[in-house]
């Protein structure tokens, strides 16, 4: 999962919500990186709200400052270090202020973070958030505290996330943690540990709870949702009879998707991130079976060259990837795809690069997340391969991939014109306050004029009469 556009240069996002009146401490929590981190921050806010902390948007009034960090590329880490330096004066003014780092960079650097960043008092890895109350007792008594132990079974399934920010109609529901795939360029297996799947009952409970609280769309979230596999008998009370218990001893991703679609039939369902090596055709069959499952898949490929795919240890070939896409389009004709691409990986030739461009033309993605290779310490590529592609060549190839994706996106957007789409109103258009914004089933952003009686959270029918490279322009019509 190098998914989700991670603008490493951008300062992280902090959210605050009205929480418990009895809480008398303030938490400033800022998140960086992928959606997993944002969802983890909701778990952290929940754990700390039980410890007397309400969230604040103002670091200057916080008792505790936490940065949930990303380590996906060098730039992401530089941004975190820059941000930390901005708290130096605050710490000087208020020595009792506790500053902590969470997430992947904390896990990657461990005690080095305490050595390198004097103002940091607390370092906590993605699997150790339950230990925060104990660790804060340490820092409250003036000692540094750290817990970066990775777990084989921690899923925080019993912790009700505190929904931070967002629009109150779309939410993420984590279904797996960690990754076993070991792609040679990726730090995730080292910073988030082994793969583990969450109990399907707790997932369904959370989805039902979100529906009851007015949410209209969920995204089932994991580094690699396709390898979701839950083994477990669950509590006896959950089952009407022995045979039902027998049946539910193992649940794979297609089965979970089917169960969620049935459990919350009016809730719109998305999932991310998929992995071509683990994805199976039955997922597409479940997508075709349920109207409430969106017809869109984020399917990273990283390269179009078999030689580079092998060096990346992606465990699939170009042909296998294209066959999967072909089958998906047969089973779900209206399906749309987005991609992740890395250019300039170790040893990438001009021919490999042309393979990437030709694969993009063959799939015709709606959009993608494209980056130049950034060597990450500790990965197999860092240990065994040379980062030998010159920066200017990386930038030229990246520009070509982005330009091609721009053409493909515009072509795909044009394909949606002249049709009526079901769109969930998610908020007000940034560019025009008299317009709503939302997404169609294929995850394409759509803007259209507001009409009397419409509200955020409404599902409306939109006739699309125009487009830009990344946005559909429409008008609501009677369904
Ligand atoms: S190891 Fe591969 S599949 Fe796993 S998170 Fe990293 S890029 Fe994704």
């Amino acid at each position: 999962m190098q998914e989700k556009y991670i603008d490493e240069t951008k300062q992280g996002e902090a959210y605050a919500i009205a929480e418990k009146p009895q809480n008398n401490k303030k938490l400033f929590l800022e998140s960086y990186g992928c959606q997993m981190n944002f969802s983890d921050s909701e778990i952290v806010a929940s754990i700390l709200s039980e410890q007397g902390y309400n969230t604040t948007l103002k670091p200057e009034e916080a008792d505790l400052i936490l940065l949930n960090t990303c380590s996906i590329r060098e730039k992401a880490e530089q941004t975190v270090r820059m941000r930390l330096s901005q708290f130096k004066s605050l710490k000087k003014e208020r020595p009792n202020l506790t500053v902590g780092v969470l997430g992947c960079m904390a896990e990657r650097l461990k005690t080095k973070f305490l050595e390198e960043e004097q103002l940091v008092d607390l370092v906590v890895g993605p699997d150790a958030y339950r230990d925060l109350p104990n660790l804060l007792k340490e820092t409250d008594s003036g000692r540094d505290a750290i817990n970066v132990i990775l777990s084989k079974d921690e899923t925080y399934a019993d912790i009700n996330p505190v929904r931070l920010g967002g629009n109150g109609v779309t939410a993420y529901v984590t279904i797996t943690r960690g990754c076993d795939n070991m792609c040679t360029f990726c730090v995730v297996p080292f910073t988030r540990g082994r793969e583990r799947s969450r109990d399907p009952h707790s997932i369904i409970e959370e989805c039902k709870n979100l529906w009851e609280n007015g949410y209209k769309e969920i995204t089932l979230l994991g580094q690699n949702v396709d390898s979701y596999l839950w083994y477990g008998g669950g509590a006896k009370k959950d089952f009407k009879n022995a045979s039902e218990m027998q049946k539910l001893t193992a649940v794979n991703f297609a089965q979970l998707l089917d169960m969620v679609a049935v459990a919350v039939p009016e809730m719109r369902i998305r999932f991310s991130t998929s992995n071509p090596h683990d994805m199976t055709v039955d997922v597409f069959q479940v997508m075709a079976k349920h109207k409430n499952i969106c017809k869109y898949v984020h399917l990273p490929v990283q390269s179009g060259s078999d030689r580079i795919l092998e060096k990346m240890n992606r465990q699939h070939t170009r042909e296998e990837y294209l066959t999967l896409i072909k089958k998906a389009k047969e089973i779900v004709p209206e399906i749309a795809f987005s991609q992740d691409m890395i250019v300039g990986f170790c040893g990438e030739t001009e021919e490999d690069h042309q393979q990437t461009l030709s694969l993009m033309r063959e799939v015709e993605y709606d959009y993608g997340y494209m980056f130049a290779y950034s060597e990450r310490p500790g990965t197999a590529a860092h240990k065994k391969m040379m980062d030998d592609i010159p920066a200017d060549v990386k930038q030229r190839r990246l520009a070509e991939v982005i330009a091609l994706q721009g053409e493909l996106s515009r072509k795909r957007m044009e394909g949606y014109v002249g049709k009526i789409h079901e769109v969930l109103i998610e908020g007000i258009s940034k560019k025009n306050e008299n317009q709503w914004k939302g997404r169609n089933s294929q995850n394409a952003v759509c803007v259209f004029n507001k009409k009397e009686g419409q509200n955020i959270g409404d599902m409306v029918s939109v006739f699309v009469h125009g487009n830009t490279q990344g946005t559909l322009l429409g008008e609501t019509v009677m369904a």
Side-chain angles (χ1 to χ4, degrees):
M1 172 198 238
Q2 297 234 337
E3 173 254 309
K4 189 121 185 82
Y5 179 54
I6 303 173
D7 180 347
E8 296 102 78
T9 61
K10 196 158 100 326
Q11 180 178 304
E13 292 171 26
Y15 295 107
I17 57 166
E19 290 158 31
K20 298 186 176 150
Q22 70 273 28
N23 285 356
N24 56 10
K25 289 180 276 187
K26 290 265 173 70
L27 162 67
F28 176 79
L29 174 53
E30 199 166 72
S31 307
Y32 292 78
C34 69
Q35 197 48 53
M36 283 304 287
N37 254 9
F38 285 77
S39 297
D40 281 358
S41 291
E42 297 184 335
I43 298 282
V44 168
S46 179
I47 291 169
L48 292 177
S49 77
E50 301 303 315
Q51 302 299 314
Y53 288 90
N54 280 344
T55 50
T56 173
L57 281 174
K58 300 190 181 108
E60 59 278 10
E61 63 179 42
D63 304 288
L64 172 61
I65 290 179
L66 295 177
L67 300 187
N68 195 351
T69 65
C70 171
S71 185
I72 206 78
R73 276 172 287 278
E74 185 51 30
K75 190 82 185 108
E77 295 198 355
Q78 287 165 4
T79 303
V80 166
R81 290 187 190 277
M82 190 116 73
R83 183 60 168 142
L84 282 170
S85 66
Q86 293 164 1
F87 299 134
K88 275 206 179 89
S89 54
L90 265 184
K91 184 83 175 174
K92 232 198 225 113
E93 283 159 32
R94 293 191 291 122
N96 294 337
L97 167 66
T98 300
V99 176
V101 286
L102 316 176
C104 293
M105 188 181 171
E107 187 65 44
R108 190 180 79 72
L109 290 174
K110 301 180 170 54
T111 47
K112 263 179 80 194
F113 222 138
L114 292 169
E115 292 149 18
E116 292 173 0
E117 300 286 344
Q118 293 309 309
L119 105 161
V120 170
D121 314 294
L122 178 63
V123 175
V124 190
D127 287 346
Y129 297 147
R130 276 182 207 275
D131 196 24
L132 272 165
N134 299 326
L135 296 167
L136 288 170
K137 288 198 189 95
E138 292 289 304
T139 55
D140 287 351
S141 44
R143 288 185 293 275
D144 286 348
I146 182 166
N147 184 339
V148 286
I149 299 168
L150 287 172
S151 160
K152 281 205 171 53
D153 40 39
E154 178 61 88
T155 64
Y156 303 115
D158 59 323
I159 296 180
N160 211 359
V162 167
R163 301 292 163 182
L164 295 172
N167 52 20
V169 290
T170 62
Y172 287 86
V173 177
T174 301
I175 64 169
T176 68
R177 297 183 69 81
C179 186
D180 289 352
N181 274 332
M182 303 310 279
C183 300
T184 56
F185 54 82
C186 184
V187 287
V188 170
F190 306 98
T191 60
R192 286 189 165 270
R194 296 283 69 73
E195 223 159 63
R196 63 224 95 127
S197 298
R198 185 178 159 193
D199 176 337
H201 304 101
S202 71
I203 294 170
I204 286 173
E205 277 322 298
E206 185 173 340
C207 297
K208 285 182 177 168
N209 180 298
L210 285 164
W211 178 256
E212 280 143 25
N213 285 289
Y215 285 81
K216 297 292 173 31
E217 179 183 291
I218 49 165
T219 299
L220 303 177
L221 190 66
Q223 317 288 160
N224 173 7
V225 292
D226 296 297
S227 58
Y228 175 90
L229 190 58
W230 179 77
Y231 282 107
K236 286 223 168 358
K237 67 175 174 39
D238 296 334
F239 306 109
K240 293 196 210 65
N241 53 46
S243 67
E244 191 187 271
M245 192 160 109
Q246 192 50 43
K247 229 176 19 224
L248 200 57
T249 49
V251 178
N252 67 18
F253 182 56
Q255 290 164 326
L256 176 72
L257 196 54
D258 193 43
M259 288 162 70
V260 172
V262 171
V264 280
E266 292 165 75
M267 180 81 95
R268 213 183 207 193
I269 299 164
R270 299 182 186 277
F271 53 88
S272 189
T273 292
S274 296
N275 183 291
H277 166 62
D278 299 302
M279 194 164 208
T280 49
V281 168
D282 52 1
V283 171
F284 302 126
Q285 284 151 353
V286 171
M287 289 174 78
K289 181 176 156 195
H290 295 285
K291 195 168 172 301
N292 63 333
I293 300 178
C294 292
K295 308 306 183 248
Y296 157 75
V297 173
H298 180 60
L299 194 61
V301 68
Q302 309 297 3
S303 172
S305 150
D306 282 339
R307 207 176 65 82
I308 297 296
L309 287 171
E310 191 169 346
K311 290 185 78 156
M312 288 177 165
N313 188 32
R314 293 291 286 171
Q315 303 172 66
H316 66 80
T317 63
R318 174 193 173 97
E319 209 41 51
E320 285 162 343
Y321 183 88
L322 291 171
T323 304
L324 188 65
I325 297 271
K326 189 163 168 287
K327 283 196 187 129
K329 290 181 177 178
E330 283 160 9
I331 300 167
V332 189
E334 71 275 33
I335 199 166
F337 289 95
S338 59
Q339 44 87 351
D340 282 2
M341 212 62 87
I342 293 176
V343 303
F345 187 66
C346 313
E348 185 188 67
T349 63
E350 202 51 40
E351 175 46 31
D352 296 322
H353 174 54
Q354 292 307 322
Q355 292 267 323
T356 295
L357 296 171
S358 66
L359 179 134
M360 290 172 68
R361 289 191 194 93
E362 205 158 333
V363 177
E364 291 202 346
Y365 296 101
D366 275 35
Y367 59 92
Y369 305 97
M370 299 146 279
F371 294 93
Y373 172 58
S374 167
E375 187 180 66
R376 305 308 297 132
T379 59
H382 172 239
K383 290 180 188 150
K384 300 182 189 138
M385 304 176 202
M386 288 289 292
D387 181 8
D388 55 0
I389 308 300
D392 61 336
V393 175
K394 281 184 182 177
Q395 288 317 312
R396 191 260 302 163
R397 288 178 184 169
L398 181 59
E400 287 173 8
V401 164
I402 291 174
L404 173 57
Q405 185 53 60
E407 283 170 34
L408 296 172
S409 296
R410 189 173 289 280
K411 185 176 176 200
R412 288 287 302 170
M413 292 299 121
E414 281 157 9
Y416 294 124
V417 174
K419 298 184 181 108
I420 294 178
H421 299 260
E422 291 309 301
V423 174
L424 172 65
I425 299 180
E426 293 176 39
I428 297 166
S429 160
K430 280 206 192 84
K431 291 199 180 121
N432 180 343
E433 61 180 27
N434 300 316
Q435 291 195 316
W436 293 122
K437 74 171 166 47
R439 286 167 295 146
N440 68 0
S441 177
Q442 286 77 13
N443 212 34
V445 174
C446 194
V447 294
F448 45 97
N449 293 333
K450 289 181 180 178
K451 286 203 176 140
E452 195 68 29
Q454 291 174 337
N455 295 298
I456 292 177
D458 291 355
M459 193 69 89
V460 291
S461 299
V462 175
F463 174 74
V464 171
H465 51 67
N467 70 284
T468 66
Q469 177 183 310
T471 306
L472 302 177
L473 315 172
E475 216 52 60
T476 47
V477 292
M478 296 311 291

